[in-house]
Amino acid sequence: MSIRFRISLYLSIVLFIGFSVLAAINSITTYRNLKSEVENNSTITSERWSLEVKDILDSAMFYARGFRSPLIFTSPPREVVITSIKEVIERNPSFFALWLVYEPNLYDGKDAQYKNSLGHDSTGRFVPYVFQSGEKGKARIRPNVGYENQDGTGDFYQVPKKNNTYYVSEPYRYKSDSVDTMMISIVAPISKDGFFRGACGIDLKAEELQKKFGEVKPFRNQGYMTLISPSGLYTVNGKNPSLIGNKIPDAQELEFYLKKSQEGKNFTYNSEAHTHYFFPFHVGKDKRFWTLQVSIPDSIYTDEMFNTIFSRALTAILILVSVLLCVNFIFQRLISAGLLKAVGFSEEIANGNLIAQSSHDKKDEIGALLVSMNQMRESLLKVLRE
């Protein structure tokens, strides 16, 4: 094994170890920086989108509160109220419906005069439901239904009635002869001196929220977002829209969510190869916490690490090859050529050619060796002449 080969081999090993250490350090640094970037970006993203979600829901609550406020103290003609509701819906396409439900004879005491009238039930109870017809700028009117249901589908009215408080309903399926959709209701009670008379609500279709928020990719065009109700029902799900209206399927994750979300503090959870960042918030005066979930795939770390290691390894190989080529070139110019001269000169002397000459124009170790060999040749020649 030649000296040049051994030097190249040892140098390669040293450089490889050095580059491996640097690659490991860079990989760890990259992972930490990326993790910090993901967390910061998730926080910023969630704050931005949670504010947008909150703005939509708060806006609906504002309209519900604003519309019912004059009804606390006055009872305009029912036809006028229905016309006003219709105008609100036609001017606000983001709202699916605006509705009123009054307790029997507690609007103006004239239920008997309005039996089966527009926006009334068969008893004349004032229950107008005004909703988007599907044609731009046009609304339809019919009596509200389902508000007396005790199976959860009537909570949009039963909960405000029972507690006399503002309420944002869990997502539920609303069905009638002309409507079948998943929605949430933002409800303001109509009461005076603590006496409940009815409720005013605005309905938002879950599919519209899904269109707006479910398609968002929160980090480097990856990941997804979900909007989760206080009881763990999906209102928006960017990964699996079929889960809208259903609870978090994993029992352990659901239990964890129910416990942590109502504390009102941000928290994280790892499942399904994703890190989930949860950000609770209030809607209006509803004291419960809704939560925006930003989910980032864990593969983003491995992909980034792979890219980092690959780029570092490629750089190391290129540098290593370049260094070895330079070392070989330098070795050839500075060492190998001189050594070959010394070897050839010594072979001439060994063969008895004491008149052979050799020179080296560099004053280095090889030059000193050739000078010594020349002196040895001259000494041998002198001895032979004597």
Side-chain angles (χ1 to χ4, degrees), residues 274-293:
H274 282 72
T275 300
H276 309 287
Y277 299 87
F278 295 86
F279 301 87
F281 62 92
H282 285 299
V283 178
K285 293 186 177 181
D286 191 340
K287 296 181 180 180
R288 303 169 306 155
F289 285 98
W290 287 67
T291 303
L292 186 70
Q293 171 188 322

Side-chain angles (χ1 to χ4, degrees), residues 332-350:
Q332 177 68 30
R333 291 292 302 272
L334 299 181
I335 300 175
S336 294
L339 287 176
L340 288 174
K341 283 184 180 181
V343 170
F345 186 42
S346 64
E347 287 177 348
E348 289 292 328
I349 295 174

Side-chain angles (χ1 to χ4, degrees), residues 354-355 357 377-386:
L354 297 180
I355 61 173
Q357 297 288 329
R377 178 189 62 78
E378 290 176 357
S379 297
L380 288 172
L381 186 60
K382 183 177 180 181
V383 170
L384 289 175
R385 285 175 178 173
E386 292 177 352

Side-chain angles (χ1 to χ4, degrees), residues 52-86:
E52 287 209 29
V53 172
K54 193 174 186 306
D55 182 63
I56 291 174
L57 301 182
D58 282 345
S59 176
M61 181 66 80
F62 172 80
Y63 268 93
R65 290 173 60 192
F67 195 88
R68 64 92 206 228
S69 292
L71 300 180
I72 295 175
F73 305 101
T74 62
S75 299
R78 300 187 184 200
E79 295 80 5
V80 173
V81 174
I82 291 175
T83 299
S84 297
I85 295 175
K86 187 171 180 290

Side-chain angles (χ1 to χ4, degrees), residues 170 226-234 248 250-265 267 269 278-281 289-293:
E170 306 282 335
T226 60
L227 177 63
I228 310 175
S229 75
S231 67
L233 291 172
Y234 288 114
I248 297 172
D250 184 88
Q252 184 177 355
E253 184 176 350
L254 176 61
E255 181 182 0
F256 179 80
Y257 169 80
L258 294 176
K259 177 182 177 182
K260 300 294 291 185
S261 63
Q262 297 311 306
E263 294 177 2
K265 298 178 181 178
F267 60 98
Y269 188 82
F278 295 86
F279 301 87
F281 62 92
F289 285 98
W290 287 67
T291 303
L292 186 70
Q293 171 188 322

Side-chain angles (χ1 to χ4, degrees), residues 6-293:
R6 280 183 287 174
I7 291 175
S8 298
L9 177 62
Y10 298 152
L11 184 60
S12 299
I13 293 173
V14 171
L15 289 174
F16 178 78
I17 293 173
F19 282 123
S20 297
V21 172
L22 289 176
I25 294 172
N26 285 331
S27 298
I28 294 172
T29 303
T30 299
Y31 174 80
R32 289 177 177 174
N33 291 339
L34 181 62
K35 186 173 180 61
S36 177
E37 182 184 353
V38 168
E39 291 175 351
N40 292 336
N41 187 276
S42 297
T43 300
I44 294 171
T45 299
S46 64
E47 287 178 352
R48 172 200 168 187
W49 289 106
S50 61
L51 285 174
E52 287 209 29
V53 172
K54 193 174 186 306
D55 182 63
I56 291 174
L57 301 182
D58 282 345
S59 176
M61 181 66 80
F62 172 80
Y63 268 93
R65 290 173 60 192
F67 195 88
R68 64 92 206 228
S69 292
L71 300 180
I72 295 175
F73 305 101
T74 62
S75 299
R78 300 187 184 200
E79 295 80 5
V80 173
V81 174
I82 291 175
T83 299
S84 297
I85 295 175
K86 187 171 180 290
E87 290 176 355
V88 170
I89 287 300
E90 290 176 346
R91 292 176 182 176
N92 293 274
S94 61
F95 299 156
F96 175 69
L98 193 157
W99 51 266
L100 294 172
V101 173
Y102 270 88
E103 289 292 283
N105 264 325
L106 287 186
Y107 180 70
D108 55 9
K110 300 178 181 179
D111 284 3
Q113 300 178 24
Y114 289 91
K115 293 180 180 180
N116 295 314
S117 298
L118 187 66
H120 299 74
D121 65 10
S122 59
T123 68
R125 187 173 175 178
F126 193 31
V127 289
Y129 189 87
V130 184
F131 61 100
Q132 300 288 352
S133 66
E135 297 182 44
K136 187 175 181 180
K138 291 186 178 181
R140 295 180 61 186
I141 306 167
R142 60 164 181 73
N144 210 329
V145 296
Y147 48 85
E148 297 290 6
N149 293 349
Q150 302 296 322
D151 59 358
T153 59
D155 284 356
F156 66 91
Y157 182 71
Q158 293 301 317
V159 172
K161 176 181 177 180
K162 178 181 178 180
N163 301 322
N164 200 12
T165 57
Y166 295 93
Y167 179 66
V168 181
S169 76
E170 306 282 335
Y172 65 97
R173 182 160 294 281
Y174 186 88
K175 291 184 178 182
S176 70
D177 55 349
S178 54
V179 179
D180 183 1
T181 186
M182 189 70 67
M183 64 175 61
I184 61 173
S185 296
I186 291 86
V187 188
I190 302 173
S191 59
K192 186 177 181 181
D193 299 327
F195 179 70
F196 181 83
R197 298 168 58 196
C200 175
I202 288 181
D203 290 344
L204 302 176
K205 294 176 73 173
E207 65 184 63
E208 295 300 323
L209 295 174
Q210 175 70 18
K211 288 178 183 178
K212 186 173 181 62
F213 302 107
E215 298 177 1
V216 174
K217 305 295 182 184
F219 186 77
R220 296 184 181 180
N221 204 32
Q222 297 187 63
Y224 62 93
M225 295 198 311
T226 60
L227 177 63
I228 310 175
S229 75
S231 67
L233 291 172
Y234 288 114
T235 306
V236 171
N237 192 309
K239 182 181 181 182
N240 186 0
S242 65
L243 289 176
I244 293 175
N246 296 306
K247 286 193 174 184
I248 297 172
D250 184 88
Q252 184 177 355
E253 184 176 350
L254 176 61
E255 181 182 0
F256 179 80
Y257 169 80
L258 294 176
K259 177 182 177 182
K260 300 294 291 185
S261 63
Q262 297 311 306
E263 294 177 2
K265 298 178 181 178
N266 299 346
F267 60 98
T268 60
Y269 188 82
N270 293 89
S271 67
E272 299 179 338
H274 282 72
T275 300
H276 309 287
Y277 299 87
F278 295 86
F279 301 87
F281 62 92
H282 285 299
V283 178
K285 293 186 177 181
D286 191 340
K287 296 181 180 180
R288 303 169 306 155
F289 285 98
W290 287 67
T291 303
L292 186 70
Q293 171 188 322

